[in-house]
Amino acid sequence: MVDIPEHLLLRTAEARAKALGISVEQALAEMKGQSEPTIISKEPDAQLLEETAVQEAEVPKSEPDVEKPKEEPAAEKTESEVITPIKEEHAAETPQKVAAVTIEEKPAAKAPAPAPEKPAAQAPAAKVSAPPAAAAKNGAPEEVDFAPEVKVTQRLLTVVKAKPIQKPVAEPVDKVNTWPHLMLPEFVSLMAMTAFLILLSAILQAPLLEEANPNVTPNPAKAPWYFLGLQELLSYWDPQIAGVMIPLVLGVVLWMAFPYIDRNPETNPSKRKFAIMFYTFFLAGAGVLTIIGVLFRGPGWNWTYPWIDGIWFDDLLDWIHFE
Amino acid sequence: MQKLSLRDKIKEARISAADSFRGGKLMSSIFRPGSPFRKGYVDSPRNRSYVVMNNVLYHLHPVKVKRHGVRLSYTLCLGGLSFFLFIVLTITGIWLMFYFRPTELAYVDIQNLQTSIAFGSLVRNMHRWGAHLMVLVVFLHMSRVFYHGAYKAPREFNWVIGVILLLLTLLLSFTGYLLPWDQLAIWAVTVGGNMAGYTPVIGAQAKFGLFAGLEATTATLLRFYVLHVLFLPFIIVIFMAVHFWRVRKDGGISGPL
Ligand code: HEM
């Protein structure tokens, strides 16, 4: 048998002494088998035994009950390809794994757990510890009727919730193999893009006007299309007054900082209506300004109608002059 | 024993020759285990993993990705297409460099390219339309990211890198715009440079730095050329590498919504 450390032994002895109303030395001696045990109870309590047994039998049963419904949906959606990290879900959801912590009383002590006379009344308390003291208060006769064969050696002391050794951090995610599920679509869209680009290049000639001449200013002089919205905007106010680069740089910096400004963690569109509206307005504004710049601006940056006055947009020269 | 027809014999010989080639030293030295180009490849989950894992592709893709992320309707493949367009532009751009001198001869070079060099016109068109397309696709990619709220934690910083990528894309496009050295090029760039000139306080200096002078000249051409073919691509590749790396480190594609 394992040697019990002295301090534990002492503590047990103290508890026992208190319970039985004997001195600590006496209890210690009894536990070490150096003295005859003090016997209080009349008989080993059958019901206590039963209850303990029932408790232990019942508890494990409840475990799969709680767990099953949780596991099934996951099992449904996950096909063979899904990684389920080593029982993560299992560990996370395990409700109460109940461990019965038992105290083994040394047979050497030959002291059965004293049982009360009226088990029914004592039953709840019995789970925690046998209440001999209470029994004594109840006036239980200190009858010595002890059958060594029927020893109560185990009691349910406490219920401990099991904790997984590895703490799961992430929920299992529904994943598929990159090859072929991602790489094939990628390959297809890449081929489609190539085909589109070659086709476009075959039918639409890139513009090449006369050689650069600093002395001949075309009218209008337009920026590349992605800056035309900006050029249009700047035509509304004197750029000297508005300043150009500073607002632009500020805008870019603010745009970069956007994720730090928008602290709403929601990604659901219905819960970030403002952000969506904001960007949609931005898109619409930029789109309208660009279209105006491309199609509706002619010589002197004056308003023109493409269907009346024609289009001043040399990027698409080949297309505009297509007959 | 059944007698084989000549046709079967040839077929058998062909298969065994192909097998011994695919199983040979050369092929196994080129393709790492699990490659579909090796002998005995079978479509198994293990090999599907190896295709990525034992391959240079592992630098770009993880072995597995979220199921919802591979739906074309989620990313619309826009980020991937931005990257792909960049590659197309690099290839066609290098090709164009063989025929282009960033001097007074630039315009003539482009003319010659279009008229007397095989596929010259096609490649120039591809480079030009590809550049426009890339600006558009990057912009659309940004919009898709915004609408998905994909810039939210932990992806805030990748958005910052994204905005830098957008700026670099625009700068690449803008510097390239000058290179044909025609009226469209020089005046579009003049308009852009003049905007920079309106910068408060340092306007004149900004314009001077951009033009390498007071106005667009061949000095500007050389400056834009070096930026366009060397400096900006170099920088954008670095930022793209960080961008892709962050996509993976931030837990792959965001969502599902
Ligand atoms: C040269 C330009 C760019 C390239 C090549 C590029 C490439 C990519 C790729 C391949 C992805 C993977 C997911 C997808 O395809 O959507 C991605 C994701 C992302 N990109 Fe970009 N991108 C570029 C520009 C930008 C810009 C301008 C922004 C925003 C301002 C941005 C922000 C992001 C963010 C936040 C993600 C993560 C999205 C998610 O997890 O759903 N990128 N990018």
Side-chain angles (χ1 to χ4, degrees):
Chain A
M1 223 181 160
V2 195
D3 268 346
I4 301 171
E6 196 62 32
H7 67 283
L8 286 184
L9 214 55
L10 196 66
R11 248 168 52 192
T12 318
E14 272 164 2
R16 189 181 178 82
K18 198 177 167 200
L20 296 181
I22 55 178
S23 73
V24 178
E25 294 76 42
Q26 167 78 3
L28 202 60
E30 281 174 16
M31 285 170 63
K32 286 182 180 163
Q34 292 157 350
S35 156
E36 281 297 304
T38 314
I39 292 157
I40 300 172
S41 74
K42 182 174 68 183
E43 56 186 36
D45 184 5
Q47 187 171 343
L48 180 64
L49 265 177
E50 244 168 56
E51 260 196 37
T52 315
V54 166
Q55 275 256 346
E56 279 171 7
E58 253 175 11
V59 163
K61 244 189 262 158
S62 71
E63 183 186 334
D65 270 70
V66 182
E67 198 173 28
K68 274 241 174 75
K70 293 237 170 189
E71 218 169 35
E72 254 156 34
E76 247 170 44
K77 73 174 173 186
T78 56
E79 283 168 19
S80 57
E81 288 178 325
V82 174
I83 304 175
T84 309
I86 324 151
K87 289 277 175 198
E88 268 180 4
E89 185 160 294
H90 182 94
E93 310 273 335
T94 301
Q96 288 135 0
K97 196 162 199 174
V98 174
V101 174
T102 59
I103 285 185
E104 190 170 336
E105 305 214 336
K106 279 179 151 189
K110 287 190 187 132
E117 199 189 23
K118 290 176 191 160
Q122 304 295 336
K127 279 181 215 152
V128 181
S129 72
K137 272 187 212 145
N138 280 354
E142 299 201 3
E143 214 172 310
V144 180
D145 181 10
F146 176 59
E149 310 86 71
V150 197
K151 277 186 295 184
V152 181
T153 56
Q154 294 197 321
R155 283 175 289 159
L156 184 64
L157 257 194
T158 181
V159 176
V160 180
K161 276 193 189 172
K163 284 195 200 107
I165 297 170
Q166 282 178 305
K167 199 156 187 236
V169 194
E171 292 283 300
V173 184
D174 191 10
K175 285 193 170 184
V176 294
N177 272 101
T178 304
W179 170 260
H181 298 292
L182 178 59
M183 280 161 64
L184 273 189
E186 268 181 350
F187 185 71
V188 169
S189 44
L190 182 153
M191 283 292 131
M193 178 60 94
T194 312
F196 174 70
L197 189 59
I198 291 179
L199 206 70
L200 188 72
S201 304
I203 58 176
L204 205 59
Q205 180 58 46
L208 186 67
L209 312 186
E210 313 82 58
E211 187 166 2
N213 184 351
N215 301 320
V216 179
T217 312
N219 190 7
K222 290 192 179 181
W225 64 268
Y226 35 83
F227 289 148
L228 270 188
L230 199 64
Q231 197 181 353
E232 171 67 16
L233 199 65
L234 291 176
S235 72
Y236 296 148
W237 54 70
D238 187 349
Q240 214 98 48
I241 297 164
V244 182
M245 287 335 237
I246 293 290
L248 209 71
V249 168
L250 265 178
V252 167
V253 168
L254 275 184
W255 193 226
M256 275 191 199
F258 194 85
Y260 303 98
I261 298 167
D262 173 15
R263 295 316 297 168
N264 173 9
E266 290 289 340
T267 54
N268 187 335
S270 64
K271 288 182 185 140
R272 48 192 290 265
K273 290 199 175 113
F274 178 75
I276 298 236
M277 230 162 59
F278 169 80
Y279 193 79
T280 308
F281 273 124
F282 165 73
L283 266 191
V288 167
L289 286 175
T290 305
I291 288 172
I292 290 177
V294 169
L295 294 178
F296 294 88
R297 288 298 180 186
W301 210 254
N302 288 318
W303 188 273
T304 53
Y305 290 100
W307 51 90
I308 299 171
D309 312 298
I311 300 171
W312 281 265
F313 187 58
D314 291 335
D315 268 308
L316 285 176
L317 210 58
D318 187 45
W319 179 68
I320 292 165
H321 294 300
F322 186 78
E323 292 302 324
Chain B
M1 182 122 185
Q2 207 186 343
K3 218 183 145 214
L4 289 170
S5 70
L6 186 62
R7 220 171 123 184
D8 285 345
K9 275 186 191 159
I10 291 173
K11 191 179 167 194
E12 208 161 75
R14 205 188 66 219
I15 290 176
S16 86
D19 264 10
S20 67
F21 176 63
R22 297 213 315 167
K25 274 203 172 133
L26 179 66
M27 290 304 264
S28 348
S29 78
I30 298 173
F31 298 107
R32 305 199 63 236
S35 166
F37 300 109
R38 274 194 164 204
K39 187 185 163 189
Y41 177 83
V42 285
D43 188 23
S44 65
R46 185 192 182 87
N47 275 343
R48 283 178 175 201
S49 304
Y50 278 163
V51 168
V52 179
M53 209 162 80
N54 273 347
N55 197 302
V56 69
L57 279 171
Y58 204 29
H59 285 286
L60 274 185
H61 279 316
V63 169
K64 291 194 172 202
V65 288
K66 292 180 201 162
R67 184 183 293 277
H68 84 92
V70 303
R71 283 198 344 256
L72 212 55
S73 58
Y74 191 75
T75 66
L76 302 166
C77 217
L78 287 169
L81 284 178
S82 311
F83 180 50
F84 177 63
L85 280 169
F86 177 75
I87 291 174
V88 170
L89 288 168
T90 307
I91 294 169
T92 52
I94 289 174
W95 192 89
L96 288 173
M97 281 174 75
F98 291 135
Y99 305 102
F100 181 82
R101 286 163 287 181
T103 60
E104 306 80 38
L105 296 169
Y107 182 72
V108 180
D109 282 346
I110 299 286
Q111 269 184 332
N112 286 338
L113 178 79
Q114 293 203 142
T115 51
S116 29
I117 288 161
F119 297 113
S121 214
L122 181 74
V123 177
R124 176 176 177 234
N125 289 350
M126 280 179 72
H127 195 73
R128 191 170 183 109
W129 300 134
H132 285 310
L133 215 55
M134 182 172 166
V135 172
L136 190 70
V137 170
V138 169
F139 196 79
L140 291 177
H141 169 63
M142 181 175 77
S143 306
R144 139 18 231 167
V145 166
F146 189 95
Y147 281 121
H148 282 165
Y151 55 82
K152 307 203 170 188
R155 296 180 178 80
E156 300 105 321
F157 190 64
N158 219 13
W159 171 272
V160 177
I161 293 170
V163 175
I164 294 173
L165 282 174
L166 177 70
L167 291 180
L168 287 170
T169 307
L170 289 176
L171 276 176
L172 269 165
S173 193
F174 185 65
T175 50
Y177 214 80
L178 182 68
L179 303 187
W181 203 238
D182 62 348
Q183 280 289 73
L184 178 59
I186 190 176
W187 287 105
V189 167
T190 300
V191 170
N194 284 341
M195 284 190 204
Y198 292 128
T199 310
V201 188
I202 54 158
Q205 288 85 343
K207 192 173 154 187
F208 192 90
L210 202 61
F211 281 161
L214 293 174
E215 53 175 24
T217 60
T218 46
T220 322
L221 183 61
L222 180 62
R223 177 155 297 194
F224 274 39
Y225 177 77
V226 173
L227 289 176
H228 185 76
V229 304
L230 209 70
F231 181 73
L232 292 171
F234 179 70
I235 301 293
I236 205 174
V237 162
I238 292 174
F239 276 97
M240 278 187 188
V242 180
H243 194 59
F244 301 159
W245 181 78
R246 276 304 291 250
V247 169
R248 273 177 76 170
K249 290 298 159 184
D250 291 340
I253 292 303
S254 62
L257 287 186

